[in-house]
C-alpha cells in the first residue's frame, strides 16, 4: 500500500493490535522511500494525512527505531506542514493516539 | 505604518478607553498603570497598587468609563474616575483560585470573571447593599481562561482548559429584562476543541463565535456549524473581530494573522506584519568574508553565538489584541504595544475590511 493510502484513515479508534499492524506497515513504507522523493510525497498529502504522518513519526522516534530516516522525514514534513502540525501532535487529546 | 510603543518589559493585561487616548496596563505585576497619549508619546498618568499579585485581566467600559481589574490574588477591583482620581471598589468574587480574565457586559451593568477555580463569576452592583455581588457559573472541569459576552447582554461564551468552548446564560434577576427565560448558569451549547481554548470571541452582531485553540487551530461557529481551520503556524492566543467577516488573531508567531469569510467558508488570508519585498532582497554575500568576520568576532569580542534577528515588530508572543477605532492594538510579553491601522492591513494583504 502506498503511504498516502495508509494515512488516509488512521486507526485512531481501533484495537491495540490493529494499531500495531498499521504502525509497522507505515514504518516499512517510510524506510523504503528514497530521500529525494520525500518532499514530493509530503506535498501531496492533505492536512489530515500530514497530521497522521507526524503522529507516526513521533511514535517511531519514541521507540528509537530507524531514527535517522524518521528524522529526515520529520525535517521534510515540518517544512511542508509547518509548526502547527507538530503542535497538534504534542497537544492532542489521548483519544487520537496511534 | 504600524506605531510601536515600548511601555514596559512585559505586559500581562491591557485595555484602552473609549476614544483610545488612554491605556490601562499591567507590566506583569500587581500594579495597574494608566497612560495618557498626548499626541506623540504615552505618559504615565497613574500607578494604582491595590492588588497584591499579578493582574491578569483589565477591561475598560467605554460608556461608563469604569475599569475592572482581576488578579491572581483572587480579587477584582472596579475603578471609577472621580475628580481625576481613580477610586477602587473591592469586589468579592468568592473564589479560592486565581482570576484569569475579565470582561464588562455590553450594557456595562455586570462583568464576568474567568477563574482557575473551574467557575465563572458574574458580578453586578447591588443598590441596596451598595456593593458588587457575585454569582457563580460552574459546570467547567478545569480553569476558565477566556470569556466573551454576546451583544444581547445575557449569553456568555467561555473558553476553558478542559478543551471545551461553552455558551451559558448569565441572566441576573433585577439587572436583565425579566422576559428572558434562561436561568443563570444554564448551559446553552458546548463545543469540543482538541486542546486548550485560549480565546473566545462573539462577532459584533452575535451571529458567529470564534475560538482559538492551542493545537494551532481556530474554530468558527457560523450558521449552526463549527468550521475548524488547522493552521500551519504556532497557536493563536488572542483575537478580535473587524466587522462581521474578518477576524484578526495573534499568538506565539508574534505576527497578527487575518481570517476572512469567503463564500461561507472561513479562510486564512495571511500575516499582517510583512516586510516589503525590496527590504527582503538579500545582498549578495561573500562567504569568505562572512566566515572571517565570524571567527574574528569570536577572537576579538568573545562572541560565540550568532544573534538571530527577529523579523517581526513584536519580539515575543502577542498576548493582547484590542480592536480600536479604525485600527487595532496588540500587546506582547516583550512589553510592546503596537498599533496597526486597518489601512496597513488592507494594503499588505490586498483585502477589503468592511
Amino acid at each position: 500500500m502506498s503511504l498516502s493510502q495508509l494515512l488516509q484513515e488512521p486507526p485512531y479508534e481501533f484495537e491495540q493490535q490493529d494499531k500495531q499492524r498499521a504502525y509497522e506497515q507505515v514504518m516499512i513504507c517510510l524506510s523504503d522511500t528514497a530521500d529525494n522523493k520525500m518532499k514530493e510525497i509530503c506535498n501531496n498529502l492533505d492536512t489530515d494525512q500530514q497530521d497522521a504522518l507526524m503522529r507516526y513519526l513521533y511514535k517511531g522516534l519514541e521507540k528509537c527505531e530507524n531514527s535517522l530516516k524518521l528524522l529526515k522525514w520529520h525535517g521534510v514534513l515540518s517544512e511542508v506542514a509547518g509548526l502547527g502540525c507538530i503542535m497538534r501532535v504534542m497537544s492532542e487529546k489521548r483519544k487520537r493516539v496511534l | 505604518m504600524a506605531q510601536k510603543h515600548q511601555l514596559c518589559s512585559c505586559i500581562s493585561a491591557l485595555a484602552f478607553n473609549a476614544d483610545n487616548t488612554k491605556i490601562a496596563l499591567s507590566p506583569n505585576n500587581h500594579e495597574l498603570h494608566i497612560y495618557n497619549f498626548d499626541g506623540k508619546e504615552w505618559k504615565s498618568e497613574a500607578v494604582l497598587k491595590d492588588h497584591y499579585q499579578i493582574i491578569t485581566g483589565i477591561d475598560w467600559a467605554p460608556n461608563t468609563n469604569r475599569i475592572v481589574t482581576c488578579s491572581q490574588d483572587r480579587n477584582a477591583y472596579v475603578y471609577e474616575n472621580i475628580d481625576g482620581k481613580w477610586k477602587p471598589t473591592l469586589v468579592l468574587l468568592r473564589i479560592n483560585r486565581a482570576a484569569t480574565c475579565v470582561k464588562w457586559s455590553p450594557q456595562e451593568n455586570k462583568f464576568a470573571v474567568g477563574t482557575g477555580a473551574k467557575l465563572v463569576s458574574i458580578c453586578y452592583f447591588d443598590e441596596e447593599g451598595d456593593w458588587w455581588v457575585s454569582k457563580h457559573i460552574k459546570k467547567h472541569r478545569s480553569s476558565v481562561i477566556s470569556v466573551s459576552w454576546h451583544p444581547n447582554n445575557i449569553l456568555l461564551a467561555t473558553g476553558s482548559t478542559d478543551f471545551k468552548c461553552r455558551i451559558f446564560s448569565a441572566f441576573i434577576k433585577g439587572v436583565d429584562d425579566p422576559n428572558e427565560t434562561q436561568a443563570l448558569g444554564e448551559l446553552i451549547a458546548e463545543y469540543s476543541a482538541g486542546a486548550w481554548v485560549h480565546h473566545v470571541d462573539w462577532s459584533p452582531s452575535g451571529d458567529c463565535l470564534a475560538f482559538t485553540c492551542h493545537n494551532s487551530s481556530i474554530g468558527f461557529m457560523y450558521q449552526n456549524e463549527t468550521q475548524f481551520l488547522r493552521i500551519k503556524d504556532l497557536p493563536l492566543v488572542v483575537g478580535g473581530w473587524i466587522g462581521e467577516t474578518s477576524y484578526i488573531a495573534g499568538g506565539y508567531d508574534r505576527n497578527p494573522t487575518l481570517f476572512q469569510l469567503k463564500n461561507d467558508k472561513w479562510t486564512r488570508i495571511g500575516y499582517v506584519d510583512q516586510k516589503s519585498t525590496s527590504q527582503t532582497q538579500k545582498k549578495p554575500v561573500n562567504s569568505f568574508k562572512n566566515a572571517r568576520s565570524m571567527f574574528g568576532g569570536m577572537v576579538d569580542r568573545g562572541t560565540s553565538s550568532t544573534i538571530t534577528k527577529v523579523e517581526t515588530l513584536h519580539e515575543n508572543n502577542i498576548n493582547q489584541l484590542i480592536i480600536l477605532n479604525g485600527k487595532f492594538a496588540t500587546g506582547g510579553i516583550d512589553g510592546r504595544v503596537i498599533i496597526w491601522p486597518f489601512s496597513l492591513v488592507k494594503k499588505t494583504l490586498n483585502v477589503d475590511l468592511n
Side-chain angles (χ1 to χ4, degrees):
Chain A
M1 284 174 85
S2 78
L3 187 64
S4 77
Q5 279 176 310
L6 280 168
L7 297 173
Q8 186 59 37
E9 279 179 25
Y12 293 127
E13 317 278 322
F14 282 44
E15 294 291 325
Q16 196 52 44
Q17 58 255 47
D18 295 324
K19 285 189 189 183
Q20 183 61 28
R21 278 218 327 261
Y23 165 75
E24 282 160 15
Q25 288 255 333
V26 172
M27 286 297 128
I28 293 170
C29 211
L30 291 179
S31 43
D32 281 347
T33 316
D35 287 359
N36 47 11
K37 293 269 169 28
M38 283 187 202
K39 185 137 192 205
E40 198 191 308
I41 294 177
C42 287
N43 275 327
N44 290 336
L45 298 173
D46 67 25
T47 323
D48 284 319
Q49 290 169 319
Q50 283 170 352
D51 283 356
L53 178 57
M54 191 58 94
R55 286 199 185 93
Y56 275 120
L57 288 179
Y58 274 100
K59 183 165 179 175
L61 287 169
E62 203 182 324
K63 299 200 176 190
C64 299
E65 294 166 351
N66 209 3
S67 304
L68 179 61
K69 193 75 177 183
L70 292 181
L71 283 173
K72 283 193 186 147
W73 271 105
H74 188 277
V76 172
L77 185 60
S78 305
E79 234 184 278
V80 170
L83 293 171
C85 192
I86 300 176
M87 274 311 299
R88 277 185 282 282
V89 176
M90 293 296 174
S91 64
E92 209 72 78
K93 287 197 284 196
R94 264 169 279 155
K95 208 173 163 192
R96 297 203 132 221
V97 165
L98 285 168
Chain B
M1 273 300 289
Q3 300 166 16
K4 183 169 83 171
H5 306 279
Q6 182 80 43
L7 292 174
C8 53
S9 59
C10 176
I11 296 178
S12 62
L14 184 69
F16 278 79
N17 72 341
D19 57 6
N20 307 150
T21 53
K22 289 190 210 269
I23 207 176
L25 66 80
S26 170
N28 204 30
N29 60 15
H30 62 284
E31 297 169 358
L32 174 65
H33 290 234
I34 302 193
Y35 286 85
N36 195 6
F37 191 51
D38 66 358
K40 269 189 284 183
E41 44 173 43
W42 295 89
K43 293 228 171 78
S44 178
E45 191 183 84
V47 177
L48 305 160
K49 298 186 192 179
D50 297 291
H51 284 289
Y52 55 90
Q53 278 182 312
I54 294 179
I55 294 178
T56 48
I58 304 178
D59 200 16
W60 201 318
N63 299 327
T64 52
N65 204 33
R66 290 188 288 205
I67 300 178
V68 61
T69 60
C70 72
S71 159
Q72 287 178 2
D73 63 6
R74 301 161 286 138
N75 287 334
Y77 279 94
V78 174
Y79 291 90
E80 283 188 46
N81 198 344
I82 298 174
D83 300 329
K85 287 228 179 292
W86 291 98
K87 175 178 160 266
T89 311
L90 176 66
V91 178
L92 289 173
L93 299 171
R94 298 182 293 120
I95 54 179
N96 57 3
R97 292 286 185 279
T100 53
C101 54
V102 66
K103 278 265 148 40
W104 280 109
S105 71
Q107 287 173 20
E108 295 163 29
N109 44 18
K110 42 184 184 169
F111 59 88
V113 183
T115 71
K118 306 190 231 185
L119 52 85
V120 178
S121 228
I122 309 288
C123 304
Y124 62 97
F125 194 69
D126 181 30
E127 294 292 348
E128 280 178 33
D130 191 31
W131 63 340
W132 288 87
V133 177
S134 71
K135 292 244 177 352
H136 290 169
I137 295 180
K138 300 187 183 164
K139 293 189 187 151
H140 292 93
R141 298 226 187 89
S142 186
S143 305
V144 178
I145 51 178
S146 174
V147 287
S148 176
W149 287 94
H150 188 280
N152 71 2
N153 214 51
I154 308 276
L155 294 178
L156 182 77
T158 64
S160 169
T161 53
D162 65 359
F163 301 0
K164 291 210 204 296
C165 166
R166 294 182 177 86
I167 304 179
F168 288 98
S169 157
F171 169 79
I172 300 283
K173 205 169 85 167
V175 170
D176 292 314
D177 182 2
N179 288 331
E180 292 293 332
T181 49
Q182 302 129 340
L184 173 74
E186 196 180 304
L187 179 66
I188 312 287
E190 195 175 78
Y191 306 106
S192 232
W196 286 16
V197 179
H198 277 297
H199 189 82
V200 287
D201 227 342
W202 287 103
S203 68
S205 69
D207 285 336
C208 186
L209 178 69
F211 50 97
T212 64
C213 314
H214 198 70
N215 60 358
S216 290
S217 69
I218 181 166
F220 290 95
M221 204 284 288
Y222 177 68
Q223 287 179 349
N224 280 326
E225 61 151 18
T226 318
Q227 289 181 24
F228 271 103
L229 264 98
R230 276 172 291 181
I231 56 177
K232 283 167 87 168
D233 320 297
L234 295 174
L236 301 163
V237 173
V238 279
W241 285 91
I242 305 176
E244 283 297 314
T245 54
S246 302
Y247 190 70
I248 192 102
Y252 293 94
D253 274 330
R254 310 179 306 265
N255 209 328
T257 314
L258 181 69
F259 295 86
Q260 278 199 319
L261 183 66
K262 290 198 188 298
N263 301 330
D264 275 354
K265 264 200 103 60
W266 284 95
T267 44
R268 177 187 183 275
I269 305 295
Y271 282 133
V272 170
D273 190 3
Q274 290 172 25
K275 295 212 156 77
S276 62
T277 44
S278 58
Q279 281 173 295
T280 51
Q281 262 168 22
K282 290 195 182 138
K283 293 186 209 148
V285 162
N286 184 337
S287 62
F288 176 68
K289 251 193 189 162
N290 245 18
R292 193 174 177 197
S293 63
M294 179 177 87
F295 287 112
M298 283 196 235
V299 170
D300 299 335
R301 293 180 290 273
T303 52
S304 56
S305 56
T306 48
I307 302 167
T308 45
K309 193 159 171 242
V310 177
E311 299 244 322
T312 50
L313 282 174
H314 269 295
E315 270 183 359
N316 216 324
N317 309 348
I318 295 175
N319 64 351
Q320 317 288 335
L321 199 149
I322 296 159
I323 304 288
L324 307 171
N325 308 325
K327 45 195 189 240
F328 71 92
T330 55
I333 64 177
D334 52 0
R336 288 188 189 159
V337 175
I338 300 180
I339 301 185
W340 315 78
F342 287 165
S343 54
L344 175 70
V345 178
K346 286 187 205 175
K347 197 173 113 183
T348 315
L349 296 170
N350 211 8
V351 286
D352 234 334
L353 299 169
N354 54 338

